[in-house]
Every structure is written in C-alpha cells, then in structure tokens.
C-alpha cells in the first residue's frame, strides 16, 4: 500500500512538472537570404572611377533613396553608379538620413535625352542590382521626390 501511494504521488508530481498553463511562444522565423529574392552573390565591390565633370557639357543631380526592400541590407559601403552606354558617368556613396539611405548622385553627360542605367552595389549581399533605362538624362529634373525615379525599384 505504501508503495502504491508513493508511486501515485511520484506520477502526480511528474505530471504536474511537465504541464504548463501557457505554452511557450514559438520563436519567430528570421527570414534568411535564401527565402527571398535577395540571395547573396559573389560580386566584388566595384571600383567605379570618380567622374571629372569638366569633361561633360551637362550635369544632372538627383537624390536616390534606397527602396524599403533593400534598406535592411544597406551599409555605408554601398555604392550607386549611373552609366550612359558602357561608361560610368556618376558615382555616389550613401548617407543615412532619418533611417533612410540617400545617395546624392551627380551625373555628367555630353548629350541630353539619353537613357541612364542605374547600378546599385550592396556590400552586405555582394550583389550589383541594375535598373536599365532608369531615366532619360535631364539636367532640369527635380532632385528630390517620392516617385519611382527617386526611389527606383531594383527588386520587385
């Protein structure tokens, strides 16, 4: 009888110790780079040359804001380059302004109305994202705004 009471008491103690009034919350999954279209690449940091604006008749200034999708991967080591044809004609490093990444980009050109390709190098992802035919060169363009011109979509 003592053995039975002792066994029942031990079982009750074990059952009480294993149960809980509330369950532990499951940890929230952290998105990995492979779960998104933002997989890490193997691109090296480009060595885009500084632009000599004395060589160009026309200049254009625009402040590029990094889209929200890429903001989590942005760093001070990122770059934006603007090319016309195969030549880099503008390079900018980012500035962190109120939690946003802004690239103050000057672009030089001999011609107006030519297409600019925008290149974004993300150091954390080791990738270069390209926005072909991003804009036509226009020295009269407003430098800031909240449209796709000023916040180009490199990733959909």
């Amino acid at each position: 009888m003592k053995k039975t009471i002792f066994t029942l008491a031990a079982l009750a103690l074990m059952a009480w110790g294993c149960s809980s009034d509330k369950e532990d919350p499951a940890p929230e999954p952290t998105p990995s780079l492979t779960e998104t279209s933002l997989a890490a690449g193997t691109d090296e940091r480009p060595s885009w040359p500084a632009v000599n604006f004395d060589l160009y008749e026309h200049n254009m200034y625009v402040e590029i804001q990094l889209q929200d999708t890429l903001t989590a991967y942005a760093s001070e080591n990122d770059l934006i380059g603007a090319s016309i044809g195969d030549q880099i004609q503008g390079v900018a490093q980012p500035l962190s302004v109120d939690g946003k990444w802004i690239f103050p980009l000057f672009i030089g050109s001999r011609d107006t109305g030519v297409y600019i390709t925008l290149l974004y190098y993300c150091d954390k992802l080791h990738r270069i994202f390209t926005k072909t035919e991003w804009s036509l060169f226009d020295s009269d363009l407003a430098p800031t705004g909240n449209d796709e011109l000023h916040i180009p979509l490199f990733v959909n």
Side-chain angles (χ1 to χ4, degrees), residues 5 20 37 63 66 92 95 102 114 129-130 134 141 153-154:
I5 293 174
S20 172
S37 62
E63 292 182 3
L66 196 57
L95 302 171
I102 307 292
V114 292
F129 297 89
T130 304
W134 161 68
L141 187 70
L153 298 177
F154 289 103

Side-chain angles (χ1 to χ4, degrees), residues 32-43 73 122-129:
S32 69
L33 297 179
T34 57
E35 293 175 342
T36 68
S37 62
L38 300 177
T42 58
D43 295 329
Y73 305 100
C122 180
D123 188 63
K124 287 183 181 176
L125 294 175
H126 302 287
R127 282 188 58 190
I128 297 175
F129 297 89

Side-chain angles (χ1 to χ4, degrees), residues 42-46 48 75 77-81 103 119-129 154:
T42 58
D43 295 329
E44 292 184 21
R45 189 172 200 267
W48 294 324
S75 75
N77 295 323
D78 294 358
L79 290 173
I80 280 209
F103 294 82
L119 306 155
Y120 166 61
Y121 172 72
C122 180
D123 188 63
K124 287 183 181 176
L125 294 175
H126 302 287
R127 282 188 58 190
I128 297 175
F129 297 89
F154 289 103

Side-chain angles (χ1 to χ4, degrees), residues 56 58 60 81-90 107-119 134-138:
Y56 299 106
H58 306 284
M60 176 178 164
S83 70
I84 297 175
D86 291 334
Q87 186 173 0
I88 295 293
Q89 293 181 214
I107 307 166
S109 179
R110 291 184 183 96
D111 301 309
T112 60
V114 292
Y115 276 107
I116 301 168
T117 296
L118 204 59
L119 306 155
W134 161 68
S135 175
L136 288 172
F137 186 92
D138 181 0

Side-chain angles (χ1 to χ4, degrees), residues 52-85:
N52 181 353
F53 291 101
D54 292 335
L55 300 175
Y56 299 106
E57 183 179 339
H58 306 284
N59 293 311
M60 176 178 164
Y61 175 72
V62 65
E63 292 182 3
I64 304 295
Q65 181 179 321
L66 196 57
Q67 75 182 94
D68 289 341
T69 307
L70 292 168
T71 299
Y73 305 100
S75 75
E76 293 174 350
N77 295 323
D78 294 358
L79 290 173
I80 280 209
S83 70
I84 297 175

